[in-house]
Amino acid sequence: MSRLSDERVTSLHGAGGELMGKLLAERILPAFRLRRAGPIGLDELDDGAVIELPPGQVVVTTDNHAVKPFFFPGGDIGKLAVCGTANDLAVMGAQPVAITMALLLEEGFSLADLEAILTSAARELADLGLPLVAGDTKVMGRGELDGIVINTTGVGVAERAISDAGLAVGDAILVTGTVGDHGMALLAAREGFHLQTELTSDVAPLWPLLAPVLAAGGITAMKDPTRGGLAAALNEMARKARVGIEVRENAIPIRPEAQALSDLLGISPLEVACEGRAVIAVTADHAETVLSLLHAHPQGKEARIIGRAIPDYPGRVVLNTGIGGRRFLEMPVGDPVPRIC
Ligand code: MG
């Protein structure tokens, strides 16, 4: 495969024949050679993988990634496809142990871009020590798909899985970092403002940050504020647990660049996705310990306690806006940024 830069995906790449085998063997599989999760893995190209799991509760999650643009400030669809799924496991309290990846490609998609995307995904997997155990590639005709869609399915193991519904009155609510970075960075890229702003996506794996926090105990609920952002995550947690959540608006960490863009575009950073943050509910007596553990990790430097679960307004989120002002932080109605993840 010479002159990769102008080579394109063709229908033959998805036909399961010689050309697809060459693409897999030469361009894709070499990037994914990692520690094995079982006696049969990706290398065998068998009909399925066999994995061996440590003791505990098995957690499974799946996600389609259709972000646009495919390369954005701070990341790309490959990195996002790994982090998005690994993070859903992490906020369930599960260590990611295996992942699968299924590619849908549009005929004509650049092979150089594909290689860059897969190399980026492989880098994240290597950092996490997470083996890719199964995969699939299908090619759709021109116009039948917009470029690339990546499905990843993750398997994780938790000592005791954490739901997003477990919070109780009195629990402290934390976020692990600034909110809305991913959504606002994507918006900036789409609107052509990316050269004027330093804002980059927060896309990153959460497990290295959350593992020590989970070990410390006291966590009652967790969620990654992806689509719908912090507003959707808090509302969902409040509704499921039938408690109110009171948040101090000025405690929510927001990058000045994200706020500036928000002021310009009229889209709230509280309503757009993060891809490397967690919302954590923790018993009041563990809150400071959890906060200092988060601060000890490079990804948790800007973690804050932003509020608490309250008996009033069950199912609602109340924002204290300072100087005695209060308003409900509503569940976002639609997605202000389509194809954000
Ligand atoms: Mg999630």
Side-chain angles (χ1 to χ4, degrees):
M1 289 209 180
S2 55
R3 294 175 61 243
L4 187 73
S5 57
D6 45 10
E7 284 184 281
R8 303 269 154 189
V9 170
T10 74
S11 57
L12 287 174
H13 281 120
E18 196 67 35
L19 197 54
M20 182 178 166
K22 224 167 133 60
L23 176 72
L24 280 172
E26 292 177 9
R27 292 293 166 192
I28 299 181
L29 293 182
F32 289 108
R33 296 203 192 283
L34 299 165
R35 89 176 150 75
R36 311 208 31 154
I40 298 177
L42 198 64
D43 288 345
E44 282 73 19
L45 297 179
D46 207 329
D47 297 303
V50 178
I51 58 178
E52 277 157 11
L53 299 174
Q57 294 181 314
V58 177
V59 180
V60 180
T61 187
T62 192
D63 217 331
N64 289 312
H65 301 272
V67 67
K68 207 174 176 188
F70 313 123
F71 299 89
F72 49 81
D76 57 73
I77 191 170
K79 181 175 184 176
L80 186 68
V82 169
C83 294
T85 288
N87 288 350
D88 273 331
L89 296 174
V91 292
M92 293 288 296
Q95 176 168 15
V97 295
I99 196 166
T100 74
M101 181 179 288
L103 302 171
L104 277 180
L105 303 170
E106 184 188 13
E107 193 179 350
F109 192 75
S110 155
L111 279 181
D113 283 355
L114 179 61
E115 194 182 29
I117 287 164
L118 295 175
T119 303
S120 170
R123 197 180 305 124
E124 291 308 314
L125 292 176
D127 285 353
L128 278 166
L130 181 60
L132 179 70
V133 296
D136 182 51
T137 304
K138 293 282 185 316
V139 177
M140 311 283 283
R142 258 174 222 278
E144 292 176 358
L145 177 83
D146 187 6
I148 181 171
V149 172
I150 304 180
N151 173 277
T152 43
T153 296
V155 180
V157 174
E159 207 174 288
R160 186 184 59 86
I162 309 263
S163 92
D164 56 10
L167 67 166
V169 169
D171 288 353
I173 309 293
L174 290 82
V175 288
T176 61
T178 54
V179 301
D181 297 13
H182 177 73
M184 298 316 279
L186 244 80
L187 269 175
R190 284 187 202 165
E191 303 286 334
F193 297 140
H194 56 289
L195 298 177
Q196 288 121 310
T197 175
E198 301 278 290
L199 192 62
T200 57
S201 167
D202 56 297
V203 59
L206 281 169
W207 181 250
L209 174 69
L210 295 182
V213 173
L214 279 159
I219 292 176
T220 56
M222 275 202 288
K223 194 158 192 66
D224 53 339
T226 54
R227 261 181 303 183
L230 183 68
L234 291 174
N235 271 284
E236 212 175 313
M237 291 169 88
R239 281 181 193 179
K240 285 184 177 175
R242 298 190 181 85
V243 298
I245 293 179
E246 182 180 56
V247 173
R248 285 171 292 118
E249 188 170 36
N250 57 16
I252 302 172
I254 297 172
R255 288 201 195 291
E257 304 94 305
Q259 189 59 55
L261 203 60
S262 158
D263 295 343
L264 189 68
L265 300 172
I267 290 174
S268 168
L270 306 186
E271 293 191 6
V272 299
C274 310
E275 289 292 344
R277 308 288 185 234
V279 180
I280 303 175
V282 55
T283 54
D285 57 335
H286 280 76
E288 287 301 329
T289 307
V290 165
L291 186 64
S292 51
L293 284 169
L294 289 170
H295 284 163
H297 192 278
Q299 264 170 263
K301 290 273 175 262
E302 287 166 287
R304 296 283 293 272
I305 296 174
I306 59 166
R308 63 196 173 104
I310 56 172
D312 305 330
Y313 312 111
R316 306 292 302 269
V317 181
V318 185
L319 211 54
N320 280 338
T321 54
I323 1 170
R326 300 182 109 194
R327 67 177 173 90
F328 286 120
L329 179 64
E330 301 289 353
M331 179 71 106
V333 180
D335 195 342
V337 195
R339 290 187 62 178
I340 200 164
C341 55

